Amino acid sequence: MAGRPKSRAFAPSTNKITEQYMIQDHLSVHYKKLSSAKPAIDNRVPASMVKSVKYRDQQRRLMLEKEMKKFQKELKSARSASRMSSRPNTPMKAQHPEQVWVTPD
């Protein structure tokens, strides 16, 4: 067995039982920490962008453009709704039945 390495993953590196338990405890704590670790990704906007006047103006402009488009869309739908309500849906005779002439037979 001259070609095999002396330390392997599951082979004890020491003969003392106390040291083996100490290593086992250390590894179990290590693996618990690894399994409970959460990724630390910073998704915040950089501070330079938040403080930038140019960036704030750009964001304000984009927000105003969105609001303008929304307002124009609402205005357009309100106009079309008012046109639809001002048009008569049925002929004149059906709207005013008292004006219908009845000829006696």
Side-chain angles (χ1 to χ4, degrees):
M1 294 201 165
R4 295 183 111 179
K6 289 190 177 187
S7 64
R8 290 178 284 172
F10 298 107
S13 59
T14 181
N15 290 332
K16 293 182 182 177
I17 192 79
T18 55
E19 287 182 18
Q20 289 178 10
Y21 281 125
M22 196 166 70
I23 292 170
Q24 183 181 3
D25 289 341
H26 174 74
L27 284 176
S28 67
V29 169
H30 175 71
Y31 286 122
K32 281 182 186 178
K33 284 183 182 179
L34 282 178
S35 65
S36 66
K38 294 182 178 127
I41 298 173
D42 186 13
N43 292 334
R44 292 179 292 176
V45 177
S48 61
M49 288 185 78
V50 173
K51 294 177 183 176
S52 169
V53 175
K54 182 178 177 182
Y55 178 74
R56 281 188 291 169
D57 287 344
Q58 180 185 16
Q59 293 302 311
R60 189 178 300 124
R61 193 177 316 112
L62 289 173
M63 185 179 65
L64 287 172
E65 286 175 4
K66 284 182 183 179
E67 288 178 6
M68 263 315 253
K69 286 179 183 178
K70 184 179 176 183
F71 176 74
Q72 288 173 348
K73 193 176 185 181
E74 288 174 0
L75 185 64
K76 189 176 180 181
S77 66
R79 283 183 184 167
S80 65
S82 67
R83 282 191 214 134
M84 294 298 267
S85 66
S86 65
R87 293 182 187 167
N89 293 338
T90 56
M92 187 62 130
K93 289 180 183 178
Q95 277 187 348
H96 303 285
E98 66 273 358
Q99 294 179 353
V100 176
W101 295 95
V102 178
T103 56
D105 290 329

